[in-house]
Amino acid sequence: RWAEWTVAQVIDRIKPRNEKIGSTGQDLFRYTEVLEAMAKQPEYIDPLSNFQKRIAYANAFGTDFQVPTTTAAFLSADSNYPHETMETQESFFALKVQTLPGHQSDASEDCLSQRLDSLGWTKVFCDVRGDIPVPSVPVPGWKPSHIPQQTSWTSKELIPIVTSSGERFHLPLGHSVMVANSRNDSYSKFSAQGRKVVNKMAADMIADILLLEEKLHQCTDEDDEENDQDKDKEVPHEKKMTIVI
């Protein structure tokens, strides 16, 4: 989060703020309460809860200054919300965890990350250190990154594990790599190795859509059978599943 802090400090010295940065900048650097409201108020939380799945991708090991790991995965040092380890076969996924909805944590009710975690999320921590096309630099005294084999973590326990940079310094340019930024030829070449992350995400999304379609067909068939058996009764039709895309 050093980049966020540095930029915020520079902006904080520019007076008056509202004449130098727009409303979006004020919201992002939390000069307003918009972000807090979005994590608390039902008008924002309720639509998010309608999704069948919620998945957050985050770059691990200090490779992303644009969206740091703790921000992308909304981890908090003040939260004990449990994260269960999930199995993953992809070598470029350092860790995959999930939060289950409705768990009661010891964290303060004002903890924004806990309110988001309580909806139920899958969090994927990507390791793109070997995909950034800029040489890394060994740093004496730095220790290799290591993710212990355990079945569950708290939010605050995850932070030192997924933010450790390891024994080498990598330029934190992983954001463009992870999203396979291809706005021009230069970006495409720079982020070429990140396409595997986007391809995996797209494949999982398509598989989920096909599975959901199959479930909807099953629901439709069940409704048709019920209607055939009881044509004379007028029963309000209720939807079996909510789709949010």
Side-chain angles (χ1 to χ4, degrees):
R1 298 179 59 86
W2 62 270
E4 297 174 1
W5 183 87
T6 302
V7 174
Q9 293 301 306
V10 172
I11 292 178
D12 192 48
R13 288 173 171 74
I14 300 175
K15 304 295 183 179
R17 295 176 192 159
N18 59 355
E19 292 183 6
K20 297 297 183 180
I21 60 175
S23 58
T24 300
Q26 294 182 48
D27 295 339
L28 288 175
F29 292 109
R30 300 188 69 174
Y31 290 126
T32 70
E33 297 181 355
V34 169
L35 291 183
E36 184 173 356
M38 292 180 70
K40 290 183 177 182
Q41 296 180 6
E43 63 182 295
Y44 299 107
I45 294 294
D46 289 349
L48 189 57
S49 68
N50 287 331
F51 282 82
Q52 296 292 320
K53 286 188 176 181
R54 287 162 292 277
I55 306 175
Y57 282 75
N59 268 326
F61 309 129
T63 57
D64 195 329
F65 81 92
Q66 291 174 279
V67 187
T69 310
T70 51
T71 300
F74 37 92
L75 301 174
S76 172
D78 296 324
S79 174
N80 291 315
Y81 206 98
H83 292 60
E84 297 182 353
T85 302
M86 302 176 68
E87 183 179 354
T88 179
Q89 303 295 330
E90 287 70 27
S91 60
F92 47 88
F93 288 169
L95 183 65
K96 187 176 181 180
V97 298
Q98 67 176 351
T99 66
L100 300 179
H103 180 83
Q104 297 297 320
S105 173
D106 295 334
S108 166
E109 291 184 358
D110 292 332
C111 183
L112 305 186
S113 70
Q114 177 184 314
R115 288 180 174 270
L116 291 173
D117 282 338
S118 66
L119 294 174
W121 284 83
T122 296
K123 301 182 182 182
V124 181
F125 296 93
C126 302
D127 184 2
V128 299
R129 288 176 294 182
D131 301 320
I132 299 174
V134 179
S136 60
V137 179
V139 180
W142 285 16
K143 298 180 180 180
S145 300
H146 173 64
I147 297 181
Q149 297 295 320
Q150 59 187 72
T151 58
S152 64
W153 319 71
T154 64
S155 182
K156 64 182 179 182
E157 286 175 342
L158 276 172
I159 293 177
I161 299 297
V162 296
T163 59
S164 170
S165 298
E167 58 189 345
R168 304 181 69 90
F169 172 75
H170 299 262
L171 284 178
L173 304 176
H175 190 78
S176 291
V177 174
M178 183 180 71
V179 301
N181 192 329
S182 57
R183 68 174 68 179
N184 55 45
D185 290 342
S186 296
Y187 271 104
S188 295
K189 293 178 181 179
F190 182 87
S191 61
Q193 295 301 313
R195 291 173 187 167
K196 57 191 175 187
V197 179
V198 176
N199 288 341
K200 172 60 178 172
M201 180 174 62
D204 288 346
M205 184 181 298
I206 292 173
D208 287 339
I209 292 174
L210 293 177
L211 180 61
L212 181 58
E213 184 179 13
E214 181 180 346
K215 290 181 179 180
L216 285 173
H217 281 308
Q218 292 176 354
C219 291
T220 301
D221 292 341
E222 292 175 0
D223 286 345
D224 290 341
E225 290 179 5
E226 291 177 1
N227 290 334
D228 290 339
Q229 293 174 1
D230 199 4
K231 292 182 179 179
D232 297 332
K233 294 183 179 180
E234 295 184 1
V235 180
H237 179 73
E238 295 183 357
K239 293 183 178 180
K240 300 289 185 179
M241 188 174 297
T242 301
I243 306 175
V244 183
I245 299 177

